[in-house]
Amino acid sequence: MAAPGCWLSLVLLILFNLAVVSVAVSGETIPIKGNNATAFHNSDTEAAEQTVAMEERRWEETQAGEASPEDAATDKEGASARGTVVPSLVPRAKDDFQEELVIRPLHSGDIYASFHFRILWESDFMSRNKVSHYRLFPKSLGQVISKFSVRELHISFTQGYWRTMQWGQPYQPSPPGAELWVWFQDSVTDVDSTWKELTNVLSGIFCASLNFIDSTNTVQPSASFKPLGIVNVTEHRFLRYATLPREIVCTENLTPWKKLLPCGSKAGLAVLLKSEKLFHSSFHSQAVHIRPVCEDQECKNPSLELRQTLNVVFDMYTSAQGKREWSLFKMFSRTLTEACPLASSSKIYVDITADTQGEQIEVSPAATLLSQNVVLGDRRTFSVYDLTQPVTFGTMRSLNLLIRWKASEGDMLRPLLHAERYVAGYGLHTGEIHTMMYNNHPYRSYPVLLLESVPWYLRLYIHTLTVTSKAKDNKPSYIHYQPSKDRVRPHLLEMLIQLPPNSVTEVTVQFERALLKWTEYTPDPNHGFYVGSSVISSLVPSVVAMNTNITEERPLFSNFFPCKEESSYFVRIYTEPLLVNLPTPDFSMPYNVICLTCTVVAVGYGSLYNLLTRSFQVEEPSPGLAKWIANYIRKLRGVPPL
C-alpha cells in the first residue's frame, strides 16, 4: 500500500523541479555586446530625436489650426511617455464623427431646428471582406449592409407636412409617413427577395411598420432617385423605392434612432432630443442616410458615410405662447453643457442672413465667429458656436442660446419651386388627380422630373393625361409609365417636364375606384385610403455660384446633395399625400345580423324548447292570511279547519 504513495511523491517532486527550471530560464538575463549596445543606443537616440521633431511640428500645426482629437491623444501619449522610446506614430483613427445643429428663425415667427450627425468610416463595404471591428459606426447597420449587399440606404420617418411657402426649402426633404429607397450592389441576384428581407430587418431595428412594404407599394424608378454617393451602378433594376404615407412616428421610433449615435443621448447635441418636446411641434422628421463617398478629389480611399438628420419646426403659438422669443431651454427643455467626447467637430449655426446688423433679430450670447456658406443656391450668414471650445459655455458651464425678434418686418424670399396636389371629382366611382408645379423664377425655365406612384385600386386612365402651362399644352420630353396589376404592383409614372418662367404647370389624370374584397379594407375604412406623395426633382437656377468640389470641408447641412454645376443646385420636393375614399360596404351589417339572429333564436327556439322539455304540475294556491288566522283559531278551539 505504501508503494503507490511513494511513486506519487516522486512524480510531484519531478514536476516541481521542472517548474523551477523553467522559471529560471524565463528570467535569465542575456548580455549584450558592446557594438550591439552602441547600435541600440544610437537607434534610440535617433527615434527620440524624430519623436521630439514630430511633437514640435505637431505643436506648430495645433497653434495654426484647431486641435483634433487624434493630435490630442498623441500629445497625451507623448507626455505620459517622456524619457521612453516611441518607435512609431499613433495610428490615425479610420472613423470620424461630427455633429451640427442649425437654427433658422422663420418669417412666420416659428423656428426651424435641424440636427446633423455624420460618421465617416474609412472602410470598403463594397468588397466581400467581412468587417468585424466597429468603433463609431453602429454594428447593427454595418451587419445589415454586409448581409444584404446594400450600396446606398435612405430611410425617413416624418410626422406633419413641410409648408414650403411659409418656411422655405428644408435642408433634408422628406414626405409624410415613412420613406425607404435602397440601391443594391450588382452582386445581388434576387433583388425582390433581398428587398423583402431587408424591410423586415429594418422594421425591427427602427420599431416601425416597414414589414408592410411589399410588391403592392414598391416601384423601380427609371430616372428618379439616382445614387447620391460614388456612382458605379446605375441600372434601375437594383433600385427599390417604397412609401408608407400613413405611418405614425412616435417615441418608439426616436429611441432606436438615438441609440445609433456614438454618444447616444448622454452628451453632445443629442441631449436636446427630448421626445415630449420634439413631438409637440408642427413638423418632425428623422432620417438615416448611408452611402459611399470619397475622401479626396482622386477618390483613392472610398469611405462609408452614415448621416443621421432630425428636423423639427416649433410653432410660435403652441410652443412659445405667441411670443417671438426662443431659447434652447424653451425649445428642448434642456441646455448644453458639453460636446460629445467622441466628436471631432461639434457646432451650432444660427442663420442671421436676413439680419446681419442685428436690427431685427437679437442672438445672445453673441457669437465670436461668423460664417458664410452657399446653401440651397443662396449665400447665407451664420453665427457659429463651437462646443469643443470651453469659452463657448462661459463661466456657468452651460449654453442657452436666446433668439429674440426686435421687429416683425421683412420680406420672405419665395422658393423658386414648390408643388401642390389634390383630388377632384364627386361620387365614389371616378375622380381626377391634379398636380400643380410652380416656377417662381422671373425669367428662367428649367426641367423637372415628376414621379407618381399610385396604388393599384385607383385605376388610372392614362389616355386622359394632360400637362398644361399658361393655358397651353406642355408636352413632356420623357415619359415612363408602368401599368399596375391588381394586388401585385402599383402604377408608376415618370415625366420630364419643362417649366416656363413665372408659370404654373398643371398635370391631371383621371382614375376609377376599384371595389376591394372585404378582407382588404383597413380597420377604419371610412377614414379613407392614403396615396403617397409625388416626388419632384430638379436642378434649380442658383443665385450665386455653387461649389462643385464635394471633398472640400463644409458644414454638413450644405453638402448632402452633390453639385456638378456652378449655375444650379439640386432640389427634391414632395407634395401632400392624398386621402381617397373608396366604395365601402356597411361593415355594421354583420353585427346587426348577428344581434337579430341571436334574438330570434333566444325568443323563438327558447320558448319551443321550454314547452317540449318542461313537466307541468297542478299546484294548489296557498290560503290567504285571513283564512290562515281563522283555521288557527279553530284549531285552538278543537274545531275542524275550514
Side-chain angles (χ1 to χ4, degrees), residues 600-639:
V600 171
V601 170
V603 174
Y605 178 75
S607 301
L608 180 62
Y609 181 79
N610 289 335
L611 291 175
L612 295 176
T613 58
R614 283 187 177 182
S615 60
F616 297 92
Q617 297 179 358
V618 178
E619 184 178 357
E620 295 183 0
S622 60
L625 180 62
K627 188 177 180 180
W628 183 82
I629 295 174
N631 289 334
Y632 182 75
I633 296 173
R634 290 173 69 88
K635 182 179 180 180
L636 293 177
R637 294 173 59 188
V639 180

Side-chain angles (χ1 to χ4, degrees), residues 36 93 132 155 187 221 229 234 249 252 283 310 321 364 374 392 474 498 531 606 617:
N36 295 337
S132 58
I155 183 174
S187 60
T234 57
V249 186
E252 64 182 7
F283 177 85
L310 189 144
Q321 292 80 38
S364 62
V374 178
T392 305
N474 188 348
Q498 188 79 13
V531 180
Q617 297 179 358

Side-chain angles (χ1 to χ4, degrees), residues 384-596:
V384 184
Y385 299 85
D386 191 353
L387 302 184
T388 59
Q389 302 296 328
V391 69
T392 305
F393 300 97
T395 58
M396 301 298 294
R397 294 297 300 166
S398 177
L399 178 62
N400 184 25
L401 291 180
L402 178 64
I403 303 174
R404 183 185 295 111
W405 272 256
K406 294 182 179 180
S408 59
E409 292 80 9
D411 297 330
M412 174 186 172
L413 182 63
R414 289 197 309 168
L416 296 180
L417 175 65
H418 77 280
E420 300 173 352
R421 191 167 66 150
Y422 61 91
V423 177
Y426 57 90
L428 295 177
H429 181 57
T430 60
E432 197 171 36
I433 298 177
H434 292 251
T435 304
M436 316 287 291
M437 295 178 291
Y438 298 82
N439 178 11
N440 296 323
H441 201 284
Y443 56 87
R444 287 193 61 178
S445 63
Y446 50 84
V448 297
L449 184 62
L450 173 65
L451 182 142
E452 294 269 8
S453 178
V454 183
W456 62 267
Y457 47 77
L458 299 183
R459 294 166 178 166
L460 297 182
Y461 294 150
I462 201 65
H463 68 278
T464 63
L465 178 66
T466 59
V467 182
T468 57
S469 300
K470 295 183 178 180
K472 297 181 180 179
D473 291 338
N474 188 348
K475 186 177 180 180
S477 57
Y478 170 79
I479 295 180
H480 170 71
Y481 174 67
Q482 183 182 36
S484 67
K485 290 183 179 180
D486 287 355
R487 300 171 180 85
V488 175
R489 70 184 184 194
H491 301 269
L492 174 61
L493 177 62
E494 290 181 283
M495 294 186 295
L496 185 63
I497 306 172
Q498 188 79 13
L499 301 185
N502 198 16
S503 65
V504 180
T505 301
E506 182 178 11
V507 180
T508 62
V509 61
Q510 297 180 7
F511 65 87
E512 178 184 359
R513 296 173 172 87
L515 185 61
L516 304 180
K517 298 178 181 178
W518 71 274
T519 56
E520 295 174 342
Y521 285 91
T522 57
D524 53 347
N526 293 307
H527 178 75
F529 291 79
Y530 283 90
V531 180
S533 304
S534 298
V535 186
I536 300 173
S537 308
S538 176
L539 289 175
V540 178
S542 176
V543 179
V544 296
M546 299 294 295
N547 189 359
T548 58
N549 187 6
I550 60 176
T551 60
E552 184 177 339
E553 188 70 23
R554 287 182 293 170
L556 300 181
F557 60 90
S558 63
N559 62 354
F560 180 68
F561 291 109
C563 181
K564 298 182 179 180
E565 298 180 5
E566 295 183 353
S567 60
S568 60
Y569 62 97
F570 181 80
V571 170
R572 177 177 292 146
I573 61 176
Y574 298 88
T575 64
E576 307 92 333
L578 300 179
L579 186 61
V580 181
N581 290 324
L582 295 181
T584 305
D586 186 4
F587 285 101
S588 64
M589 283 304 298
Y591 174 76
N592 297 336
V593 170
I594 291 173
C595 292
L596 180 59

